[in-house]
C-alpha cells in the first residue's frame, strides 16, 4: 500500500456507484471496542499501548479471509501523510495528531479500517458508497465477530460494550450517512429535514463549515444513542427516515428542473466555468462550486462528468492531497493556487 | 451589401490591427455639412428632403474612385436592421429611429459612412482601427474635398461651415478615439486621465453605462470645440495627449503583471470561464467580462484569442446583432439566453 496512490484514486465509498448516490455520498458504521485485559488508554502507559497494538495487530491478521488489511504506523508518517489518511476518513483528527503507539489498518478499497489506540483500543469502521447502511453494518458485524474470536472485548452484561467515553457505551456503534442536499438548501427547506431528524434523536451536522450553513451543502446524519437499543434498531432508525429525505431532495431537484431549468443550468455551468478557469481558489469556494457541479451532474445538466469525478475532486482538493501531489508543505495561499491548477488539469482531461 | 453578413464579421475598425490596439479600439472623424441651396432639415419638408437625398446620392457616386459606397434607405429597414447599423456605428440613434427620407452610404469595410438627412444634410465619417486619427482625418478630408467638387456646402467666410446646431459650426469636425482603460480603472487612476483631458477642453465619456463608471472600462475622448481652430489643430490636440494616456495604461498593466500576476490571471480567466459557460448573461455582465478578457488577451495571459475576437464579441453580443442571427425580435430575457449561447459557441470554435 503506497500512500502516493491516494493522489490518483479515491476509496470505494466515493465511487458514486452505490444506491441513491445522487443524494447519499456514503454510509458508515463505526464500532468502539476495548480489550478487557488492558487499561483504558487514558490510563495506559506507552509500554501498555504497544502491547495492545501488538495484540490487535495479531488479531487483524486473522481477519485476512474476509478482508486484507495493511497496517500503517501513524507516528512514522509525516504531517502530509497524516492529513491524507484523515481526509480519506481512514483516521480521525485526534488519531492523526496524537502521540505514542497507534496505527491504522485498512484495505486497498478503503471500505474497512481499524484505528488502534485512538480513544478506544479499537475503532473499527466500514464505509460504503451511497445508501448501504445495512450492508455496511453486516460487513462490520462479520469483521467484529471474527476479531472477537481472538480478542477478549470489555463487555458488561448490563451495559454492553465498555468504552473510554460513556457516550459510546452499549453497542459502541455510530452509524452515519453523508448527504448532499443542494436543492433543499437552495429552496430553504433544509430546516424541515433538521426538524424531522432531530425529533427521532438523530444528530445532523454540516460536514464542512460552521453551524447549520454547511459548506457545499453536505450534511451528516448519525445516531446519538448507543445504549438501550440493539445495533439493528440503531441502523434501522436511520435507514427508515432516509428514503423520505432522499425523495424530498429528489423531488425538489425535479421541481427546479421543470420550473427553473435555465437558472439552474446557468448556476451549475458557471460553477463549472469557475473551476475550469480559476488560477486561485479557496477551499470554501471549491466546496461551493463543486456542490453545484455535483447537482449539475446528477440532474444531467452536465453530462460529460460522472458523480465519482466530482466526489474525487472534493477529496483531491483538500490540503493533504494537494501537498502530497506537490511533494512538499504548502502555505495556505500556495494551496489556493495549486488547488486551482489541479482542478483545471483534472477537468481538462475529461473534456 | 447584405446586412446579414454583419453577423459574421465586424468592420475594419474593430480588427484590432491598428497602432496601439491594446489600448485604442478605434479612431473616428466626423464632418457635418449642409447644402447651401437647401433649407436646414428642421425647416425642410419631405419633398425637399428627398431632393437633398437625391443630390447627395448623386455626388456620392462620384467619390467611387476613392471608396465604393453602398446606399441604404433607413426607412425601408425593419427595427433589427436599424439597430444593426447603429451598433456598427454606421448611423446614429437619431438617424435609426427618425422618420422621413434619409439614408446612409458606407463601404464594405465600414471605414467610411455618410448619413444623409440626419441632423445635417450630410454627416460624413471615417473610422480606423487603433490610434490612426491623423490617417482618418486625411481620408475624411479627401472624401470631403471630392464631395465639395460637386456639392455646394453652406460656408461662411467668418464662421466656416454652417451646421444645424451651433456647436458644430466652423470645422463641423468631431474627432474621437475609443479607449480601453481597464488597468487605470482597476487601480483607481482613471480620474487622473479625466483631469488631464478636460483641462485641455477635450470631452471624455464612458461609452456604455452611466456617468464616469463606464461599463467595460471603455471611454471616448473627443474635441468639444469646432470653431476657432483648424481641423489640423483639433486632430493634433487629441493626438498629442493620447500617447501619454496609452503609456500610462500600458505601464499600469505591466505593473499589475509583475506585482500581481496571479490575481490578474485569475480575474481574466474567471471572466473567460463565465463567458464560456453561462446560460444567461446580461449585457452589463458581458461588457464587464469581455473587458477583462480583452485585458487578458493584450497582456498575453490568454493566448488563444486575439484582440479582434474580443472586439467582435463586443459587437455580436449587442441586441441588434443577436436578433439578426436569430431572425426575429427577442425580449430582453430571451436576449440574455441567446447572448450566452452565441458567446459560448463563438468561444468554443476557438478552442
Amino acid at each position: 500500500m503506497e500512500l502516493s496512490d491516494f493522489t490518483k484514486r479515491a476509496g470505494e465509498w466515493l465511487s458514486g456507484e452505490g444506491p441513491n448516490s445522487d443524494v447519499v455520498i456514503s454510509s458508515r458504521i463505526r464500532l468502539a471496542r476495548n480489550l478487557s485485559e488492558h487499561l483504558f488508554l487514558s490510563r495506559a502507559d506507552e509500554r501498555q499501548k504497544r502491547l495492545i497494538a501488538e495484540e490487535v495487530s495479531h488479531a487483524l491478521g486473522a481477519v485476512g479471509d474476509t478482508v486484507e488489511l495493511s497496517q500503517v504506523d501513524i507516528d512514522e508518517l509525516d504531517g502530509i501523510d497524516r492529513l491524507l489518511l484523515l481526509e480519506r476518513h481512514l483516521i480521525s483528527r485526534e488519531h492523526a495528531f496524537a502521540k505514542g503507539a497507534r496505527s491504522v489498518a485498512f484495505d486497498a478499497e478503503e471500505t474497512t479500517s481499524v484505528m488502534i489506540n485512538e480513544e478506544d483500543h479499537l475503532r473499527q469502521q466500514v464505509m460504503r458508497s451511497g445508501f448501504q447502511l445495512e450492508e455496511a453494518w453486516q460487513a462490520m458485524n462479520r469483521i467484529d465477530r471474527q476479531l472477537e474470536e481472538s480478542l477478549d472485548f470489555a463487555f458488561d452484561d448490563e451495559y454492553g460494550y465498555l468504552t473510554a467515553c460513556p457516550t459510546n457505551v452499549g453497542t459502541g456503534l455510530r452509524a452515519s450517512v453523508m448527504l448532499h442536499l443542494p436543492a433543499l438548501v437552495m429552496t430553504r427547506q433544509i430546516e424541515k429535514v433538521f426538524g424531522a431528524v432531530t425529533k427521532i434523536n438523530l444528530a445532523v451536522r454540516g460536514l464542512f463549515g460552521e453551524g447549520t450553513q454547511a459548506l457545499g451543502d453536505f450534511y451528516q446524519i448519525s445516531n446519538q444513542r448507543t445504549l438501550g437499543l440493539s445495533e439493528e434498531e440503531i441502523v434501522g432508525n436511520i435507514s427508515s427516515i432516509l428514503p423520505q429525505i432522499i425523495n424530498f431532495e429528489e423531488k425538489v431537484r425535479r421541481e427546479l428542473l421543470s420550473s427553473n431549468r435555465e437558472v439552474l443550468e446557468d448556476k451549475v455551468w458557471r460553477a463549472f466555468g469557475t473551476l475550469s478557469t480559476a488560477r486561485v481558489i479557496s477551499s470554501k469556494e471549491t466546496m461551493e462550486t463543486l456542490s453545484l457541479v455535483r447537482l449539475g451532474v446528477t440532474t444531467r445538466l452536465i453530462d460529460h462528468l460522472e458523480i465519482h469525478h466530482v466526489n474525487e475532486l472534493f477529496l483531491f482538493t483538500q490540503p493533504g492531497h494537494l501537498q502530497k501531489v506537490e511533494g512538499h508543505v504548502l502555505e495556505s495561499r500556495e494551496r489556493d493556487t495549486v488547488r486551482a491548477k489541479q482542478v483545471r488539469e483534472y477537468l481538462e482531461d475529461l473534456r
Side-chain angles (χ1 to χ4, degrees), chain A:
Chain A
M1 171 81 47
E2 282 293 321
L3 295 194
S4 57
D5 290 346
F6 279 180
T7 60
K8 301 188 188 76
R9 52 165 188 78
E12 185 279 338
W13 61 277
L14 284 173
S15 69
E17 288 173 1
N20 305 104
S21 276
D22 56 335
V23 176
V24 187
I25 311 277
S26 59
S27 304
R28 172 176 176 262
I29 297 287
R30 181 268 279 162
L31 286 181
R33 296 289 184 259
N34 289 277
L35 305 184
S36 62
E37 285 161 32
H38 291 273
L39 292 170
F40 280 131
L41 290 165
S42 55
R43 306 193 59 190
D45 62 20
E46 197 55 25
R47 192 191 60 85
Q48 288 165 319
K49 285 185 186 176
R50 273 198 297 275
L51 286 175
I52 294 164
E54 274 168 35
E55 199 170 324
V56 175
S57 282
H58 189 75
L60 287 174
V63 303
D65 309 344
T66 313
V67 58
E68 184 105 29
L69 302 175
S70 308
Q71 282 190 53
V72 174
D73 184 333
I74 307 295
D75 242 20
E76 285 180 359
L77 300 179
D78 63 20
I80 293 177
D81 283 343
R82 291 179 194 198
L83 262 186
L84 210 56
L85 293 175
L86 168 60
E87 290 166 2
R88 295 176 88 88
H89 293 216
L90 293 170
I91 63 174
S92 64
R93 182 163 293 279
E94 292 68 29
H95 205 49
F97 300 107
K99 293 202 188 306
R102 68 200 192 287
S103 59
V104 62
F106 55 89
D107 67 319
E109 294 292 298
E110 299 170 52
T111 52
T112 306
S113 78
V114 182
M115 283 188 283
I116 304 171
N117 290 343
E118 202 247 18
E119 184 179 274
D120 296 294
H121 297 162
L122 291 90
R123 283 283 177 101
Q124 311 171 53
Q125 171 180 279
V126 167
M127 300 270 280
R128 284 280 190 281
S129 165
F131 181 23
Q132 300 196 64
L133 208 50
E134 289 286 353
E135 293 79 356
W137 162 243
Q138 297 301 335
M140 182 80 279
N141 197 28
R142 276 195 300 278
I143 291 165
D144 187 49
R145 289 284 153 83
Q146 278 192 280
L147 285 175
E148 209 156 18
E149 285 173 18
S150 51
L151 295 173
D152 187 18
F153 289 150
F155 185 85
D156 178 273
D157 283 340
E158 189 179 352
Y159 293 116
Y161 290 101
L162 301 179
T163 55
C165 177
T167 58
N168 292 314
V169 165
T171 55
L173 184 147
R174 188 82 63 212
S176 63
V177 286
M178 200 192 295
L179 306 177
H180 185 221
L181 304 173
L184 293 176
V185 173
M186 213 176 267
T187 58
R188 299 173 200 279
Q189 300 188 85
I190 191 75
E191 297 289 342
K192 294 183 191 170
V193 173
F194 294 165
V197 165
T198 50
K199 195 177 280 180
I200 58 168
N201 286 316
L202 297 176
V204 56
R205 61 185 183 90
L207 259 187
F208 308 97
E210 299 288 309
T212 57
Q213 178 51 44
L215 264 189
D217 313 318
F218 292 101
Y219 295 89
Q220 181 177 286
I221 293 178
S222 61
N223 62 308
Q224 291 187 295
R225 289 176 61 189
T226 57
L227 186 66
L229 291 168
S230 72
E231 287 84 349
E232 286 72 16
E233 284 173 318
I234 292 171
V235 171
N237 271 350
I238 301 183
S239 293
S240 66
I241 199 176
L242 211 57
Q244 299 168 49
I245 300 173
I246 295 169
N247 288 342
F248 191 15
E249 169 70 21
E250 286 177 343
K251 178 172 140 280
V252 177
R253 287 186 193 177
R254 281 193 303 273
E255 285 168 3
L256 286 174
L257 267 180
S258 66
S259 66
N260 259 316
R261 185 184 178 91
E262 202 171 67
V263 172
L264 191 64
E265 200 172 5
D266 187 55
K267 267 186 205 286
V268 305
W269 274 103
R270 280 172 181 254
F272 177 84
T274 298
L275 288 166
S276 305
T277 52
R279 262 53 185 173
V280 184
I281 193 163
S282 69
S283 165
K284 178 169 182 287
E285 189 182 7
T286 304
M287 284 294 172
E288 289 162 350
T289 46
L290 278 177
S291 173
L292 283 168
V293 169
R294 196 179 195 279
L295 177 61
V297 171
T298 58
T299 50
R300 300 247 165 264
L301 290 171
I302 297 178
D303 59 10
H304 74 292
L305 295 181
E306 293 171 27
I307 293 177
H308 77 91
H309 293 129
V310 189
N311 287 355
E312 257 177 29
L313 278 175
F314 274 112
L315 185 64
F316 291 172
T317 52
Q318 292 183 48
H321 282 73
L322 295 176
Q323 296 178 89
K324 186 70 180 176
V325 170
E326 297 299 308
H328 55 86
V329 174
L330 300 167
E331 300 301 313
S332 164
R333 172 73 193 190
E334 291 174 306
R335 285 204 301 274
D336 291 350
T337 307
V338 167
R339 182 181 295 113
K341 177 175 71 101
Q342 291 187 15
V343 172
R344 280 202 316 280
E345 290 171 356
Y346 187 99
L347 292 174
E348 186 64 32
D349 285 346
L350 294 171
R351 278 186 60 94

